[in-house]
Amino acid sequence: MQSYNNLYSFFILLFYFYNLALCENDYGSSKLFHHDPQDLIRKHYFEIEPAETAFTLDIKPISYPDKCELKQLHLLTRHGSRYPAPPDIRAFDHLEKVFANVSVAKKWAGAYSRCGASAMAFSEGLFNGDGPLDTCKNQPVYVWNIPANEDNIIEMYNNCLLANETVLNNNPTYDQQNYTYANTTLKPIADRMTKDYGIYPPLNPYLIPSIYDACEFWILHFNRTDTWCLLLSELDIIKSVYYWEMTIYYKSLYGNPLNEQLGCVYYTRLVNSVDNYLNGSSIMVADLKNGHGHTMFLELTALVWCS
Ligand SMILES: *[C@@H]1O[C@H](CO)[C@@H](O)[C@H](O)[C@H]1NC(C)=O
Ligand SMILES: *[C@@H]1O[C@H](CO)[C@@H](O)[C@H](O)[C@H]1NC(C)=O
Ligand SMILES: *[C@@H]1O[C@H](CO)[C@@H](O)[C@H](O)[C@H]1NC(C)=O
Ligand SMILES: *[C@@H]1O[C@H](CO)[C@@H](O)[C@H](O)[C@H]1NC(C)=O
Ligand SMILES: *[C@@H]1O[C@H](CO)[C@@H](O)[C@H](O)[C@H]1NC(C)=O
Ligand SMILES: *[C@@H]1O[C@H](CO)[C@@H](O)[C@H](O)[C@H]1NC(C)=O
């Protein structure tokens, strides 16, 4: 028995060294960062809500002063998080090419498709398909839409030419931040990866936030941190989150004065609708609109005028 144990240990040791040698050959001196997916989600690094709060339906009823009577309801909602977006998918395809010769990354190719994700959900029975989710109480509703390119109430982000030409594009304040952040904060991370993984030509610093996006994708869809997340330290993740937050700040939020005005059409209609109802020229009691994240950003930013 004793000798069996010794032999066993010997094999384990041998295997251990063999693995170390393999790693050394494959990845050189590179570091791989191991994360617990739940830990990263709990710290709010991603779009997904931690389960502790996501599944607590701690909803407070709308309250209004006793003397008021609810006459008309205006509700602006958005879809739940959808991920990845088409530019993310393009960035992931690009990343795969850049890391094509990095052995550790060889198995990280993903099927990044939104249609595929929807089709899977449907086949599992969401919206009364025949799958295991069929017992749930979800009910499809038909939504009538103004074509997006004619909808200036909630699609102003895409339809205002001035915003397109001075906020989304050719935005000197953002462009400067974008450049400086990449040159000072993202570049050292990119240089480290270039060196560690032998990437040639050197990794473009602007791809670091996309590596974070790919990390997010694998966590959200597969609960796995053993792919692109391996390349990022926790601080790299925080710096990538900052890059996207900074971009949203300048392009969709308070970082540009035009964004304080883009939400006005919605509020103007809201006020007129209430007036029209109160003076008897309309019977509309509820206005339910379903927009996007950028719609919400701009409507919240426009509230600056009310404060
Ligand atoms: C990967 O290696 C091949 C063969 O050496 C080379 O032709 C190709 O340019 C390399 N690609 C990248 C992205 O490094
Ligand atoms: C916004 O500008 C870009 C070019 O920077 C153009 O491709 C796009 O079509 C424009 N969008 C709209 C809605 O005008
Ligand atoms: C930041 O600048 C780079 C390089 O010019 C550009 O490719 C990238 O699209 C910019 N980022 C955003 C979010 O516009
Ligand atoms: C980019 O960063 C380098 C090194 O930190 C610095 O020397 C250089 O001046 C920066 N480039 C610009 C245009 O600011
Ligand atoms: C995700 O993986 C972690 C361990 O890596 C596990 O503790 C957790 O239960 C998993 N979550 C889900 C939703 O599968
Ligand atoms: C009702 O209020 C709306 C919005 O202020 C106004 O345009 C409309 O003329 C008013 N109608 C009547 C009948 O007073």
Side-chain angles (χ1 to χ4, degrees):
M1 197 59 199
Q2 186 58 39
S3 69
Y4 171 81
N5 269 345
N6 282 343
L7 194 65
Y8 184 67
S9 318
F10 176 73
F11 273 125
I12 289 184
L13 262 179
L14 193 68
F15 186 68
Y16 187 59
F17 284 121
Y18 175 71
N19 259 343
L20 271 185
L22 254 187
C23 292
E24 197 57 37
N25 285 343
D26 274 6
Y27 322 132
S29 60
S30 68
K31 275 208 217 91
L32 295 175
F33 301 90
H34 295 274
H35 305 277
D36 170 14
Q38 295 309 310
D39 177 53
L40 298 180
I41 292 171
R42 206 175 298 121
K43 288 174 172 163
H44 293 271
Y45 291 151
F46 302 117
E47 294 193 14
I48 198 167
E49 179 90 7
E52 296 89 278
T53 50
F55 299 114
T56 315
L57 289 178
D58 185 16
I59 297 167
K60 295 196 182 68
I62 300 172
S63 70
Y64 42 88
D66 280 349
K67 293 199 181 86
C68 295
E69 194 189 330
L70 186 61
K71 295 283 192 185
Q72 198 176 61
L73 173 70
H74 290 256
L75 184 69
L76 180 61
T77 52
R78 61 156 297 192
H79 53 81
S81 289
R82 279 179 321 187
Y83 190 77
D88 303 323
I89 297 171
R90 284 193 291 276
F92 297 164
D93 289 343
H94 186 164
L95 274 181
E96 278 175 24
K97 291 197 182 79
V98 172
F99 280 79
N101 292 344
V102 179
S103 56
V104 69
K106 287 235 160 86
K107 291 194 184 125
W108 301 348
Y112 305 115
S113 158
R114 285 158 80 116
C115 291
S118 297
M120 270 161 59
F122 188 76
S123 71
E124 284 172 16
L126 196 65
F127 296 140
N128 298 334
D130 289 320
L133 298 180
D134 204 18
T135 49
C136 75
K137 300 282 182 277
N138 284 332
Q139 192 65 41
V141 291
Y142 291 97
V143 175
W144 178 78
N145 285 301
I146 304 172
N149 63 357
E150 292 168 22
D151 184 347
N152 297 332
I153 308 164
I154 56 175
E155 271 299 317
M156 57 292 195
Y157 179 84
N158 290 318
N159 294 340
C160 173
L161 195 58
L162 183 63
N164 189 342
E165 291 177 349
T166 66
V167 183
L168 294 182
N169 299 293
N170 321 309
N171 177 334
T173 317
Y174 173 71
D175 290 347
Q176 210 243 314
Q177 293 290 324
N178 184 23
Y179 174 81
T180 308
Y181 195 71
N183 191 38
T184 56
T185 306
L186 301 178
K187 193 168 183 300
I189 306 174
D191 289 349
R192 186 193 76 216
M193 290 185 189
T194 296
K195 186 165 147 283
D196 282 355
Y197 311 115
I199 295 167
Y200 190 83
L203 188 62
N204 180 344
Y206 290 106
L207 281 177
I208 300 297
S210 296
I211 294 177
Y212 155 84
D213 287 340
C215 164
E216 176 174 24
F217 175 89
W218 280 86
I219 292 185
L220 300 198
H221 290 270
F222 306 113
N223 193 31
R224 280 178 59 182
T225 43
D226 60 347
T227 64
W228 295 96
C229 298
L230 286 175
L231 304 185
L232 301 168
S233 71
E234 188 167 346
L235 191 56
D236 298 338
I237 290 176
I238 291 170
K239 288 173 176 174
S240 301
V241 174
Y242 181 87
Y243 178 80
W244 291 127
E245 301 275 304
M246 187 264 288
T247 299
I248 291 170
Y249 175 79
Y250 285 109
K251 294 199 171 190
S252 311
L253 291 170
Y254 311 97
N256 192 290
L258 190 59
N259 292 342
E260 294 172 6
Q261 294 166 48
L262 280 170
C264 284
V265 176
Y266 176 84
Y267 290 117
T268 305
R269 286 177 67 99
L270 188 157
V271 169
N272 286 340
S273 291
V274 174
D275 274 353
N276 279 322
Y277 180 85
L278 294 179
N279 71 16
S281 53
S282 158
I283 55 164
M284 185 183 79
V285 291
D287 182 4
L288 313 181
K289 290 192 181 342
N290 191 36
H292 289 275
H294 53 245
T295 316
M296 298 295 184
F297 287 148
L298 292 170
E299 293 311 336
L300 291 172
T301 306
L303 287 177
V304 145
W305 292 100
C306 305
S307 60

